[in-house]
Amino acid sequence: MKKEPPQKYASKIFKKHNHNACFNDSMKAFQKHCVQKNLKLTPLRSKVFEFLLRDHQPLGAYQILDMLRDSGFASTPPIAYRVLDFLIEQGFAHKIKRLNAFVACSHPGSTHSPTFMICRKCDKVAEIDEKDSGIDLKKATSFDFKVEEAVIEFIGLCTSCVTVEAT
Ligand SMILES: [Zn+2]
Ligand SMILES: [Zn+2]
Ligand SMILES: [Zn+2]
């Protein structure tokens, strides 16, 4: 079998990375953001962000609800959705339409339109740095159209799943 060329738009999620540092940095960034913006960092908000961050796996709202209950939170769907909306508004999470699930943002604190690579086999999701995606949303204005929100989702196979399929 021919070896796959290295992923051009490699993101840190499909790559091996120091997840402990990644987790701690994101957690710290979130805490700092809440202090700076004078937002309440409730245990619930902190917990949901922690779940999303845990192994970069997209989670559905009901999965999150189950995890909250397992952690001793008496949560209802509206509460879970409110927390998710908060995380999205603050730029720390995104919704992946194709999977109807949520992920932690890989470069929080900046306003951006996320671009995702979704593995159709294992549902792993990587967020590409906007600058690396090569997609210039401002260019769309030349089509007499102003982009307000863009959700770009690439479907494919991650490196580990490509290896499995090739054998
Ligand atoms: Zn990580
Ligand atoms: Zn993002
Ligand atoms: Zn995969």
Side-chain angles (χ1 to χ4, degrees):
M1 270 315 280
K2 217 178 88 212
K3 249 194 121 215
E4 280 288 315
Q7 285 260 3
K8 197 181 170 200
Y9 301 135
S11 109
K12 68 173 182 185
I13 313 294
F14 286 143
K15 275 196 267 177
K16 285 213 185 344
H17 66 285
N18 181 345
H19 185 60
N20 266 343
C22 152
F23 183 91
N24 289 332
D25 286 353
S26 301
M27 233 32 212
K28 257 186 236 147
F30 183 48
Q31 285 156 2
K32 205 175 137 199
H33 176 89
C34 288
V35 172
Q36 278 171 349
K37 302 263 163 166
N38 216 351
L39 300 162
K40 234 199 205 142
L41 183 62
T42 62
L44 195 64
R45 286 171 173 177
S46 175
K47 203 74 195 165
V48 172
F49 186 53
E50 192 189 307
F51 290 153
L52 293 176
L53 213 53
R54 200 173 275 172
D55 51 13
H56 301 293
Q57 203 71 36
L59 298 171
Y62 280 84
Q63 256 172 300
I64 292 170
L65 208 56
D66 281 345
M67 290 163 92
L68 282 173
R69 287 194 185 121
D70 288 345
S71 312
F73 287 88
S75 274
T76 57
I79 294 175
Y81 275 113
R82 225 176 294 142
V83 175
L84 287 164
D85 282 344
F86 171 81
L87 292 175
I88 292 169
E89 261 166 47
Q90 299 305 320
F92 284 85
H94 296 300
K95 183 169 186 187
I96 298 172
K97 300 209 170 158
R98 180 186 159 94
L99 304 174
N100 196 20
F102 302 86
V103 278
C105 175
S106 311
H107 22 86
S110 64
T111 28
H112 56 276
S113 298
T115 303
F116 294 112
M117 293 183 295
I118 305 165
C119 178
R120 61 176 160 81
K121 256 205 151 157
C122 66
D123 279 352
K124 234 191 198 165
V125 171
E127 187 180 341
I128 310 172
D129 195 303
E130 234 189 343
K131 290 170 245 76
D132 291 343
S133 75
I135 297 163
D136 186 355
L137 293 173
K138 283 189 201 85
K139 273 199 180 135
T141 42
S142 55
F143 299 110
D144 290 332
F145 186 83
K146 191 186 174 300
V147 178
E148 290 179 334
E149 191 204 356
V151 182
I152 301 157
E153 300 178 351
F154 294 128
I155 317 299
L157 282 173
C158 75
T159 329
S160 1
C161 290
V162 165
T163 321
V164 173
E165 271 206 351
T167 48

